[in-house]
Amino acid sequence: MIVVTGAAGFIASCLVTRLNAANFNDIVVVDNFAVERKLINLKGKRLREYVDRNEFFDWLDKNHEEVEFIFHLGARTDTTEQDKAIFDLLNVEYSQKMWRACCQYQLPLVYASSAATYGSGTLGYSDEDALLPLLRPLNPYGDSKNDFDNWAINQPEKPFFWAGLKFFNVYGPNEYHKGRMASVIFHAFEQIRQHGSMTLFRSHNPDYADGEQQRDFVYVKDVVEVCFFLMQHRQNSGIYNLGTGEARTFLDLTLNTFKALDRTADIRFRDTPEDIRDTYQYFTQADMSKLRAIGYDRPFTRLEDGIDDYVRNYLVPGHYL
């Protein structure tokens, strides 16, 4: 059996599809299944069992001998949430409990970290361990992910194989439920469809023109390929960036969304909301050399191609992966 936490969410549900495609069908999905708007992400997938996240460790105590691998992708991911206690509970303490269980039962573990750990990016985007204690995230979500990364690398006892993945700006199918936290591509599609235009955040940094803010946008299909690779690889434990290695502007993103919709571009700007203005990242770009060095050699999807596939084959028809 393969365990996937956060399974009804965006990235994890796409991972379940990738596992099914490789004929892994004994998948135990773990989540808070009371959030009904996410459940459609699992519709039609071949699954072994649904386990509530609060009951998972009792379940694991009884079933660990049948478990082959754990993908711990469940987390509170709202970057605007300021209640540190929520992140401590779900992103730190729950993950620590997962880590200890994997040590106890000798289970390999891949878990979700985040590029939010890099904060303003003044220290760069290297995923080498030496940088971890120096990072200063810009919000409680980033703090929680960085806190766990630092805790993990300092543990005397570790799973025989483990990997933390610092997801950069992931976009793609199955994010319909994410609301404000959905990708900019999703929001662009919705705005263009409803209004014929797209409004981007104005730059409040003199080093960047409006729309020239840059992020490393990575297609979810590439993200799950890396997860699948690590499940088969099971060596070279550590924390890895997961982006494309190429920063692109929000204008690039928006213009390609208009193109995929066969619409004439109409881009407008508004001030960045004050509740996120001070914690806004103007540039992110993953250093991907560490993952490449352990043998991951698949090319990452170009932004143009990823947007075209996402818009035409998923967003327009309302399909799921």
Side-chain angles (χ1 to χ4, degrees):
M1 292 189 292
I2 297 171
V3 171
V4 181
T5 75
F10 167 35
I11 296 172
S13 63
C14 292
L15 175 60
V16 172
T17 300
R18 178 65 179 89
L19 293 169
N20 280 173
N23 213 28
F24 289 94
N25 302 320
D26 284 342
I27 299 173
V28 177
V29 292
V30 181
D31 210 320
N32 172 15
F33 296 108
V35 185
E36 293 187 7
R37 68 183 184 277
K38 299 194 300 183
L39 297 184
I40 195 171
N41 283 342
L42 295 175
K43 187 177 180 179
K45 293 175 171 52
R46 298 188 296 278
L47 307 171
R48 170 76 170 263
E49 192 172 350
Y50 288 73
V51 179
D52 184 272
R53 72 183 183 203
N54 294 321
E55 300 171 0
F56 171 69
F57 293 106
D58 289 338
W59 179 94
L60 186 62
D61 288 340
K62 299 172 185 175
N63 296 279
H64 62 89
E65 292 182 355
E66 295 184 71
V67 175
E68 178 185 351
F69 204 96
I70 293 181
F71 290 100
H72 177 38
L73 305 183
R76 181 64 177 263
T77 59
D78 188 344
T79 57
T80 65
E81 173 64 64
Q82 297 300 311
D83 188 346
K84 183 177 183 295
I86 293 175
F87 293 110
D88 286 345
L89 178 65
L90 296 177
N91 293 4
V92 180
E93 294 168 16
Y94 195 97
S95 297
Q96 290 172 343
K97 197 170 182 180
M98 183 70 74
W99 179 279
R100 294 186 183 105
C102 289
C103 291
Q104 179 181 353
Y105 297 128
Q106 284 299 290
L107 296 172
L109 171 69
V110 167
Y111 74 86
S113 182
S114 172
T117 57
Y118 290 114
S120 62
T122 54
L123 297 177
Y125 296 93
S126 168
D127 48 12
E128 294 302 325
D129 289 354
L131 191 63
L132 288 172
L134 305 177
L135 296 177
R136 297 293 178 266
L138 298 175
N139 51 51
Y141 165 68
D143 283 332
S144 70
K145 289 299 186 180
N146 195 48
D147 287 347
F148 182 74
D149 287 345
N150 277 283
W151 181 89
I153 63 166
N154 286 302
Q155 290 309 293
E157 186 178 12
K158 295 178 171 64
F160 76 86
F161 170 72
W162 65 276
L165 296 176
K166 293 198 178 201
F167 297 136
F168 278 66
N169 282 68
V170 186
Y171 68 94
N174 298 15
E175 61 171 335
Y176 297 101
H177 65 281
K178 288 179 67 67
R180 186 178 180 182
M181 291 298 108
S183 72
V184 182
I185 296 161
F186 178 83
H187 289 296
F189 169 79
E190 289 290 310
Q191 287 191 36
I192 294 166
R193 185 175 62 170
Q194 293 176 27
H195 307 294
S197 62
M198 171 59 180
T199 301
L200 295 173
F201 290 154
R202 186 171 287 115
S203 174
H204 299 272
N205 182 329
D207 294 332
Y208 294 87
D210 292 343
E212 295 293 338
Q213 303 95 317
Q214 298 180 59
R215 299 284 179 85
D216 191 331
F217 299 102
V218 58
Y219 200 22
V220 71
K221 291 184 180 182
D222 292 331
V223 169
V224 300
E225 287 297 337
V226 172
C227 291
F228 191 78
F229 164 80
L230 290 170
M231 185 181 75
Q232 297 176 305
H233 187 69
R234 301 193 190 193
Q235 52 186 321
N236 307 109
S237 293
I239 295 173
Y240 294 91
N241 282 335
L242 213 179
T244 65
E246 181 182 8
R248 300 292 299 272
T249 70
F250 283 96
L251 283 175
D252 287 336
L253 179 154
T254 307
L255 289 170
N256 277 286
T257 306
F258 275 105
K259 183 178 179 182
L261 283 166
D262 299 314
R263 299 281 193 97
T264 300
D266 181 357
I267 301 173
R268 307 172 187 189
F269 296 93
R270 69 180 178 93
D271 287 347
T272 304
E274 290 190 7
D275 64 333
I276 64 172
R277 191 177 300 176
D278 292 339
T279 60
Y280 187 82
Q281 292 174 306
Y282 279 82
F283 177 87
T284 67
Q285 181 171 278
D287 178 347
M288 295 302 297
S289 56
K290 190 174 174 183
L291 184 67
R292 292 301 194 191
I294 66 168
Y296 187 79
D297 57 5
R298 289 177 65 102
F300 286 94
T301 305
R302 294 171 64 246
L303 183 65
E304 291 82 354
D305 298 330
I307 290 176
D308 191 73
D309 181 53
Y310 181 27
V311 171
R312 294 182 188 274
N313 297 320
Y314 298 96
L315 290 177
V316 170
H319 289 169
Y320 290 76
L321 181 63

